[in-house]
């Protein structure tokens, strides 16, 4: 039968695990304290990426220039 790793066994194998968990907890606490600023920054980045993507597509993916599109 396959062996299962219990939390006690994992601690023996990785002694730095507690240190990493403490670091992650501290980083999560910082992110929670500054969540409104992070949300606004994320929204700004998302809008900038949308704008850049739209401009790229407008410049490179339209096969016929717009002024001559419906002229016959």
């Amino acid at each position: 039968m396959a062996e299962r790793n219990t939390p006690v066994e994992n601690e023996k194998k990785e002694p730095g695990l507690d240190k990493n968990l403490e670091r992650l907890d501290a980083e999560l606490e910082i992110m929670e304290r500054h969540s409104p600023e992070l949300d606004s920054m994320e929204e700004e980045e998302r809008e900038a990426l949308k704008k850049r993507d739209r401009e790229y597509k407008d410049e490179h993916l339209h096969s016929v220039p717009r002024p001559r599109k419906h002229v016959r």
Side-chain angles (χ1 to χ4, degrees):
M1 188 190 246
E3 293 182 27
R4 292 185 179 178
N5 291 335
T6 61
V8 174
E9 291 174 355
N10 286 338
E11 280 185 28
K12 292 177 185 175
K13 292 179 183 178
E14 296 183 35
L17 187 60
D18 287 335
K19 192 180 218 182
N20 288 335
L21 287 176
E22 289 174 7
R23 181 182 54 83
L24 287 173
D25 287 339
E27 289 176 0
L28 285 172
E29 183 180 327
I30 291 170
M31 289 176 68
E32 288 173 355
R33 269 190 278 150
H34 299 287
S35 67
E37 292 111 5
L38 288 173
D39 290 342
S40 66
M41 293 286 290
E42 183 179 357
E43 186 65 30
E44 289 173 10
E45 283 296 316
R46 190 173 291 144
E47 291 298 321
L49 288 173
K50 282 182 186 177
K51 181 180 177 184
R52 184 183 301 160
D53 186 50
R54 186 173 55 246
E55 289 172 354
Y56 175 83
K57 286 178 181 177
D58 285 346
E59 291 174 5
H60 294 92
L61 300 180
H62 294 291
S63 59
V64 178
R66 204 171 253 186
R68 298 184 305 172
K69 199 169 196 176
H70 297 289
V71 176
R72 290 185 181 218

